[in-house]
Amino acid sequence: MRKKLVICFLLVVSLLTAQGMILANAETTTEAEMRGYSLSDKWCYRNGFSKQTTVYGPNNVNYGTIWTWAEMYQYYDESAKELYVLSICTAEMQPYLSGSNIINNQSMHVTMYPSWISGYGSTDSIDYAPKTTAGSYSESTSVTTGWHAGSNGIGGDFSNTHEVTTSTSDVQIIAYREEPAMVRLHIEHNFVNYANNQDKNIYRALVSYSHMMLYKISNYDLDEEPILCYYVYHTSSFYNKTKRKTATATNTTHFDL
């Protein structure tokens, strides 16, 4: 059985068959639980990623640090040949607080999407978080879904209890799915007053946000081993108010399913 690993570590998953389903024998990973995520035992862990990056501006000035953590899970309905893919991501950023420069959080953008390599069926976006409405701000990044899947109605509940509450005048959160297939999720966290702030508040603190994307893939046959790559991009920018300069860094990963 051919398996292609895009990131450089080995993952071993045990599966069992029950009531026409293939179900995982493992629940949420310990790190996911520590980060506030909770998944039912119907999910099968497939891959994980964690990366820390120091962001440097002109003249090698330390602007801050970004962290990206992501995990991917699957749930397969064998009788319906439907594969459900859940991607969760926690993105963090913190400006450098020492020295003579005033460094502010400017923006955090996260993009998540699948990309087929071979053997695909139709892909539909089922749920995502955080949700926002046009022209409004979101006060929380709490993630939750009561989604139930499968021909036998076996649940795939998922939730995230980690919440971040911010003043709507400070952080604008925009989430949208891109055309044509609506399977590419883009979330923006924009710090409204980054260019003028000089206080030690949310602009000059560690901030952490949770993100989730859930897909259903039809006509997925495990025997034919179709391959799906899943991409996560986390880009954060810091603003040096003292020098009036911006520095940006991106953490990128892609998983192979």
Short mmCIF file of all heavy atoms in Angstrom, two decimals, residues 146-193:
data_model
loop_
_atom_site.label_atom_id
_atom_site.label_comp_id
_atom_site.label_asym_id
_atom_site.label_seq_id
_atom_site.Cartn_x
_atom_site.Cartn_y
_atom_site.Cartn_z
N GLY A 146 -21.68 20.88 15.92
CA GLY A 146 -22.41 19.69 16.33
C GLY A 146 -22.62 18.76 15.16
O GLY A 146 -23.55 17.96 15.14
N TRP A 147 -21.73 18.84 14.16
CA TRP A 147 -21.86 18.07 12.93
C TRP A 147 -21.95 16.57 13.21
O TRP A 147 -21.24 16.03 14.03
CB TRP A 147 -20.65 18.38 12.06
CG TRP A 147 -20.44 17.41 10.93
CD1 TRP A 147 -21.15 17.34 9.77
CD2 TRP A 147 -19.46 16.38 10.86
NE1 TRP A 147 -20.65 16.35 8.98
CE2 TRP A 147 -19.63 15.74 9.63
CE3 TRP A 147 -18.47 15.94 11.73
CZ2 TRP A 147 -18.82 14.68 9.23
CZ3 TRP A 147 -17.67 14.89 11.34
CH2 TRP A 147 -17.85 14.27 10.11
N HIS A 148 -22.87 15.91 12.49
CA HIS A 148 -22.99 14.45 12.55
C HIS A 148 -22.96 13.91 11.13
O HIS A 148 -23.65 14.41 10.25
CB HIS A 148 -24.30 14.03 13.23
CG HIS A 148 -24.32 14.36 14.68
ND1 HIS A 148 -23.89 13.49 15.66
CD2 HIS A 148 -24.68 15.49 15.33
CE1 HIS A 148 -24.01 14.06 16.85
NE2 HIS A 148 -24.49 15.28 16.67
N ALA A 149 -22.15 12.89 10.91
CA ALA A 149 -21.94 12.39 9.56
C ALA A 149 -22.16 10.89 9.50
O ALA A 149 -22.23 10.21 10.51
CB ALA A 149 -20.53 12.71 9.08
N GLY A 150 -22.24 10.39 8.28
CA GLY A 150 -22.27 8.95 8.08
C GLY A 150 -23.67 8.42 7.85
O GLY A 150 -24.66 8.94 8.34
N SER A 151 -23.75 7.35 7.10
CA SER A 151 -25.04 6.76 6.76
C SER A 151 -25.75 6.20 7.99
O SER A 151 -26.96 6.04 7.99
CB SER A 151 -24.84 5.65 5.73
OG SER A 151 -23.93 4.67 6.22
N ASN A 152 -25.00 5.91 9.04
CA ASN A 152 -25.59 5.40 10.28
C ASN A 152 -25.76 6.48 11.33
O ASN A 152 -26.10 6.19 12.48
CB ASN A 152 -24.72 4.27 10.85
CG ASN A 152 -24.72 3.06 9.95
OD1 ASN A 152 -25.76 2.64 9.47
ND2 ASN A 152 -23.54 2.51 9.69
N GLY A 153 -25.49 7.72 10.96
CA GLY A 153 -25.72 8.82 11.88
C GLY A 153 -24.72 8.88 13.02
O GLY A 153 -24.99 9.49 14.06
N ILE A 154 -23.59 8.23 12.89
CA ILE A 154 -22.58 8.28 13.94
C ILE A 154 -21.97 9.66 13.97
O ILE A 154 -21.57 10.21 12.96
CB ILE A 154 -21.49 7.21 13.71
CG1 ILE A 154 -22.14 5.82 13.77
CG2 ILE A 154 -20.39 7.32 14.74
CD1 ILE A 154 -21.17 4.70 13.48
N GLY A 155 -21.88 10.24 15.15
CA GLY A 155 -21.49 11.64 15.26
C GLY A 155 -20.01 11.87 15.10
O GLY A 155 -19.19 11.00 15.35
N GLY A 156 -19.69 13.08 14.70
CA GLY A 156 -18.30 13.50 14.60
C GLY A 156 -18.11 14.81 15.33
O GLY A 156 -17.57 15.76 14.79
N ASP A 157 -18.59 14.91 16.54
CA ASP A 157 -18.58 16.17 17.27
C ASP A 157 -17.17 16.71 17.46
O ASP A 157 -16.22 15.97 17.66
CB ASP A 157 -19.23 16.00 18.65
CG ASP A 157 -20.72 15.75 18.54
OD1 ASP A 157 -21.28 16.06 17.49
OD2 ASP A 157 -21.30 15.24 19.51
N PHE A 158 -17.09 18.03 17.39
CA PHE A 158 -15.81 18.71 17.55
C PHE A 158 -16.07 20.06 18.19
O PHE A 158 -17.04 20.73 17.90
CB PHE A 158 -15.15 18.92 16.18
CG PHE A 158 -14.06 19.95 16.18
CD1 PHE A 158 -12.81 19.64 16.68
CD2 PHE A 158 -14.29 21.23 15.71
CE1 PHE A 158 -11.81 20.59 16.69
CE2 PHE A 158 -13.30 22.19 15.70
CZ PHE A 158 -12.05 21.85 16.20
N SER A 159 -15.18 20.43 19.11
CA SER A 159 -15.33 21.75 19.73
C SER A 159 -13.96 22.26 20.14
O SER A 159 -13.00 21.51 20.23
CB SER A 159 -16.26 21.69 20.95
OG SER A 159 -15.67 20.90 21.98
N ASN A 160 -13.92 23.56 20.40
CA ASN A 160 -12.71 24.20 20.90
C ASN A 160 -13.11 25.19 21.97
O ASN A 160 -13.90 26.08 21.74
CB ASN A 160 -11.95 24.92 19.77
CG ASN A 160 -10.80 25.75 20.29
OD1 ASN A 160 -10.79 26.95 20.17
ND2 ASN A 160 -9.84 25.10 20.91
N THR A 161 -12.57 25.03 23.17
CA THR A 161 -12.99 25.84 24.30
C THR A 161 -12.11 27.05 24.52
O THR A 161 -12.36 27.86 25.40
CB THR A 161 -13.00 25.00 25.60
OG1 THR A 161 -11.70 24.43 25.80
CG2 THR A 161 -14.02 23.88 25.48
N HIS A 162 -11.05 27.17 23.73
CA HIS A 162 -10.14 28.30 23.87
C HIS A 162 -10.79 29.55 23.26
O HIS A 162 -11.10 29.57 22.08
CB HIS A 162 -8.81 28.01 23.18
CG HIS A 162 -7.89 29.19 23.12
ND1 HIS A 162 -7.24 29.67 24.24
CD2 HIS A 162 -7.51 29.99 22.11
CE1 HIS A 162 -6.51 30.71 23.90
NE2 HIS A 162 -6.66 30.93 22.60
N GLU A 163 -11.02 30.55 24.05
CA GLU A 163 -11.67 31.76 23.57
C GLU A 163 -10.77 32.97 23.79
O GLU A 163 -10.08 33.07 24.79
CB GLU A 163 -13.01 31.98 24.27
CG GLU A 163 -14.06 30.92 23.96
CD GLU A 163 -15.41 31.27 24.53
OE1 GLU A 163 -15.55 32.39 25.04
OE2 GLU A 163 -16.30 30.42 24.47
N VAL A 164 -10.80 33.86 22.85
CA VAL A 164 -10.08 35.13 22.96
C VAL A 164 -11.10 36.24 22.75
O VAL A 164 -11.73 36.33 21.70
CB VAL A 164 -8.96 35.24 21.92
CG1 VAL A 164 -8.28 36.59 22.03
CG2 VAL A 164 -7.95 34.12 22.10
N THR A 165 -11.27 37.07 23.75
CA THR A 165 -12.21 38.17 23.64
C THR A 165 -11.43 39.47 23.52
O THR A 165 -10.56 39.76 24.33
CB THR A 165 -13.15 38.24 24.86
OG1 THR A 165 -13.86 37.00 24.95
CG2 THR A 165 -14.14 39.38 24.72
N THR A 166 -11.74 40.25 22.50
CA THR A 166 -11.04 41.50 22.27
C THR A 166 -12.04 42.61 22.01
O THR A 166 -13.19 42.36 21.66
CB THR A 166 -10.10 41.39 21.06
OG1 THR A 166 -10.88 41.10 19.90
CG2 THR A 166 -9.07 40.30 21.25
N SER A 167 -11.58 43.83 22.19
CA SER A 167 -12.41 44.98 21.88
C SER A 167 -12.61 45.07 20.37
O SER A 167 -11.66 44.94 19.61
CB SER A 167 -11.77 46.27 22.39
OG SER A 167 -12.44 47.40 21.88
N THR A 168 -13.84 45.27 19.93
CA THR A 168 -14.11 45.31 18.50
C THR A 168 -13.44 46.50 17.83
O THR A 168 -13.28 46.53 16.62
CB THR A 168 -15.63 45.39 18.24
OG1 THR A 168 -16.16 46.53 18.95
CG2 THR A 168 -16.32 44.15 18.73
N SER A 169 -13.04 47.48 18.61
CA SER A 169 -12.35 48.63 18.03
C SER A 169 -10.86 48.36 17.82
O SER A 169 -10.17 49.16 17.19
CB SER A 169 -12.51 49.85 18.95
OG SER A 169 -11.93 49.61 20.21
N ASP A 170 -10.36 47.24 18.34
CA ASP A 170 -8.94 46.93 18.24
C ASP A 170 -8.61 45.89 17.18
O ASP A 170 -7.59 46.00 16.49
CB ASP A 170 -8.41 46.45 19.60
CG ASP A 170 -8.29 47.57 20.61
OD1 ASP A 170 -7.96 48.70 20.20
OD2 ASP A 170 -8.54 47.34 21.79
N VAL A 171 -9.41 44.83 17.09
CA VAL A 171 -9.10 43.74 16.17
C VAL A 171 -10.31 43.46 15.27
O VAL A 171 -11.38 43.15 15.75
CB VAL A 171 -8.71 42.45 16.92
CG1 VAL A 171 -8.31 41.36 15.91
CG2 VAL A 171 -7.57 42.71 17.88
N GLN A 172 -10.09 43.58 13.97
CA GLN A 172 -11.11 43.25 12.99
C GLN A 172 -10.83 41.85 12.47
O GLN A 172 -9.74 41.57 11.98
CB GLN A 172 -11.09 44.25 11.83
CG GLN A 172 -12.14 43.95 10.76
CD GLN A 172 -11.96 44.81 9.54
OE1 GLN A 172 -10.84 45.09 9.13
NE2 GLN A 172 -13.05 45.24 8.94
N ILE A 173 -11.80 40.95 12.58
CA ILE A 173 -11.66 39.57 12.12
C ILE A 173 -12.57 39.36 10.91
O ILE A 173 -13.77 39.60 10.99
CB ILE A 173 -11.98 38.55 13.23
CG1 ILE A 173 -11.07 38.79 14.44
CG2 ILE A 173 -11.81 37.13 12.70
CD1 ILE A 173 -11.35 37.88 15.61
N ILE A 174 -11.99 38.93 9.82
CA ILE A 174 -12.73 38.69 8.59
C ILE A 174 -12.45 37.26 8.14
O ILE A 174 -11.29 36.86 8.00
CB ILE A 174 -12.32 39.66 7.48
CG1 ILE A 174 -12.49 41.11 7.94
CG2 ILE A 174 -13.11 39.41 6.20
CD1 ILE A 174 -11.90 42.12 6.98
N ALA A 175 -13.50 36.47 7.92
CA ALA A 175 -13.34 35.09 7.44
C ALA A 175 -14.20 34.91 6.19
O ALA A 175 -15.36 35.33 6.15
CB ALA A 175 -13.76 34.09 8.51
N TYR A 176 -13.62 34.28 5.18
CA TYR A 176 -14.40 34.04 3.96
C TYR A 176 -13.84 32.83 3.21
O TYR A 176 -12.65 32.50 3.31
CB TYR A 176 -14.40 35.27 3.05
CG TYR A 176 -13.03 35.78 2.66
CD1 TYR A 176 -12.37 35.32 1.52
CD2 TYR A 176 -12.37 36.73 3.45
CE1 TYR A 176 -11.13 35.80 1.16
CE2 TYR A 176 -11.12 37.21 3.10
CZ TYR A 176 -10.50 36.74 1.95
OH TYR A 176 -9.26 37.21 1.62
N ARG A 177 -14.73 32.19 2.47
CA ARG A 177 -14.35 31.08 1.61
C ARG A 177 -14.30 31.58 0.17
O ARG A 177 -15.19 32.29 -0.27
CB ARG A 177 -15.35 29.93 1.73
CG ARG A 177 -15.29 29.22 3.07
CD ARG A 177 -16.37 28.18 3.21
NE ARG A 177 -17.70 28.78 3.27
CZ ARG A 177 -18.82 28.07 3.44
NH1 ARG A 177 -18.75 26.76 3.54
NH2 ARG A 177 -19.98 28.68 3.50
N GLU A 178 -13.26 31.18 -0.53
CA GLU A 178 -13.03 31.72 -1.87
C GLU A 178 -13.66 30.85 -2.95
O GLU A 178 -13.69 29.62 -2.84
CB GLU A 178 -11.52 31.87 -2.13
CG GLU A 178 -10.85 32.89 -1.21
CD GLU A 178 -9.37 33.03 -1.49
OE1 GLU A 178 -8.81 32.15 -2.17
OE2 GLU A 178 -8.79 34.00 -1.03
N GLU A 179 -14.14 31.49 -3.98
CA GLU A 179 -14.64 30.82 -5.17
C GLU A 179 -13.46 30.23 -5.96
O GLU A 179 -12.32 30.64 -5.74
CB GLU A 179 -15.41 31.82 -6.04
CG GLU A 179 -16.65 32.38 -5.38
CD GLU A 179 -17.81 31.39 -5.38
OE1 GLU A 179 -17.62 30.24 -5.84
OE2 GLU A 179 -18.89 31.75 -4.92
N PRO A 180 -13.68 29.27 -6.88
CA PRO A 180 -15.00 28.83 -7.31
C PRO A 180 -15.61 27.72 -6.47
O PRO A 180 -16.81 27.56 -6.40
CB PRO A 180 -14.73 28.33 -8.73
CG PRO A 180 -13.31 27.83 -8.67
CD PRO A 180 -12.59 28.75 -7.72
N ALA A 181 -14.79 26.92 -5.81
CA ALA A 181 -15.32 25.75 -5.12
C ALA A 181 -15.65 26.01 -3.66
O ALA A 181 -16.18 25.13 -2.98
CB ALA A 181 -14.32 24.59 -5.21
N MET A 182 -15.31 27.17 -3.14
CA MET A 182 -15.59 27.55 -1.75
C MET A 182 -14.90 26.63 -0.75
O MET A 182 -15.37 26.44 0.36
CB MET A 182 -17.10 27.56 -1.49
CG MET A 182 -17.88 28.51 -2.38
SD MET A 182 -17.49 30.25 -2.10
CE MET A 182 -18.35 30.54 -0.56
N VAL A 183 -13.78 26.03 -1.13
CA VAL A 183 -13.07 25.13 -0.23
C VAL A 183 -11.81 25.76 0.32
O VAL A 183 -11.10 25.16 1.14
CB VAL A 183 -12.72 23.79 -0.92
CG1 VAL A 183 -13.98 23.05 -1.32
CG2 VAL A 183 -11.82 24.02 -2.12
N ARG A 184 -11.50 26.97 -0.10
CA ARG A 184 -10.31 27.67 0.38
C ARG A 184 -10.75 28.70 1.42
O ARG A 184 -11.43 29.67 1.10
CB ARG A 184 -9.60 28.36 -0.79
CG ARG A 184 -8.26 29.00 -0.42
CD ARG A 184 -7.70 29.71 -1.65
NE ARG A 184 -6.42 30.34 -1.36
CZ ARG A 184 -5.25 29.91 -1.80
NH1 ARG A 184 -5.19 28.82 -2.54
NH2 ARG A 184 -4.14 30.54 -1.50
N LEU A 185 -10.34 28.49 2.68
CA LEU A 185 -10.73 29.37 3.78
C LEU A 185 -9.61 30.36 4.07
O LEU A 185 -8.45 29.98 4.20
CB LEU A 185 -11.02 28.55 5.04
CG LEU A 185 -11.36 29.36 6.30
CD1 LEU A 185 -12.69 30.08 6.14
CD2 LEU A 185 -11.39 28.45 7.53
N HIS A 186 -9.98 31.63 4.17
CA HIS A 186 -9.02 32.68 4.50
C HIS A 186 -9.56 33.48 5.68
O HIS A 186 -10.70 33.94 5.66
CB HIS A 186 -8.79 33.60 3.30
CG HIS A 186 -7.74 34.63 3.53
ND1 HIS A 186 -6.39 34.33 3.56
CD2 HIS A 186 -7.82 35.96 3.75
CE1 HIS A 186 -5.69 35.43 3.79
NE2 HIS A 186 -6.54 36.43 3.91
N ILE A 187 -8.74 33.62 6.74
CA ILE A 187 -9.14 34.36 7.93
C ILE A 187 -8.13 35.47 8.17
O ILE A 187 -6.93 35.22 8.20
CB ILE A 187 -9.20 33.46 9.18
CG1 ILE A 187 -10.01 32.19 8.91
CG2 ILE A 187 -9.81 34.21 10.35
CD1 ILE A 187 -9.16 30.97 8.72
N GLU A 188 -8.63 36.68 8.35
CA GLU A 188 -7.78 37.83 8.63
C GLU A 188 -8.05 38.34 10.04
O GLU A 188 -9.20 38.50 10.44
CB GLU A 188 -8.05 38.97 7.63
CG GLU A 188 -7.77 38.62 6.20
CD GLU A 188 -8.05 39.79 5.28
OE1 GLU A 188 -8.37 40.90 5.78
OE2 GLU A 188 -7.96 39.60 4.04
N HIS A 189 -6.98 38.58 10.79
CA HIS A 189 -7.05 39.27 12.09
C HIS A 189 -6.24 40.56 11.91
O HIS A 189 -5.02 40.52 11.87
CB HIS A 189 -6.47 38.41 13.20
CG HIS A 189 -7.05 37.03 13.28
ND1 HIS A 189 -8.12 36.72 14.07
CD2 HIS A 189 -6.70 35.88 12.64
CE1 HIS A 189 -8.41 35.43 13.93
NE2 HIS A 189 -7.56 34.91 13.07
N ASN A 190 -6.93 41.66 11.78
CA ASN A 190 -6.28 42.95 11.51
C ASN A 190 -6.36 43.84 12.74
O ASN A 190 -7.45 44.13 13.25
CB ASN A 190 -6.96 43.63 10.32
CG ASN A 190 -6.83 42.83 9.04
OD1 ASN A 190 -5.74 42.37 8.71
ND2 ASN A 190 -7.93 42.63 8.33
N PHE A 191 -5.20 44.30 13.20
CA PHE A 191 -5.12 45.17 14.37
C PHE A 191 -5.29 46.62 13.90
O PHE A 191 -4.42 47.18 13.24
CB PHE A 191 -3.80 44.95 15.10
CG PHE A 191 -3.67 43.57 15.68
CD1 PHE A 191 -3.31 42.49 14.87
CD2 PHE A 191 -3.93 43.34 17.02
CE1 PHE A 191 -3.20 41.22 15.40
CE2 PHE A 191 -3.83 42.06 17.55
CZ PHE A 191 -3.47 41.00 16.75
N VAL A 192 -6.44 47.19 14.23
CA VAL A 192 -6.90 48.42 13.62
C VAL A 192 -5.94 49.59 13.84
O VAL A 192 -5.63 50.34 12.91
CB VAL A 192 -8.31 48.78 14.13
CG1 VAL A 192 -8.79 50.09 13.52
CG2 VAL A 192 -9.28 47.64 13.83
N ASN A 193 -5.44 49.76 15.05
CA ASN A 193 -4.67 50.95 15.41
C ASN A 193 -3.18 50.67 15.52
O ASN A 193 -2.47 51.31 16.29
CB ASN A 193 -5.20 51.50 16.75
CG ASN A 193 -4.78 52.93 16.99
OD1 ASN A 193 -4.75 53.75 16.07
ND2 ASN A 193 -4.44 53.24 18.23
#
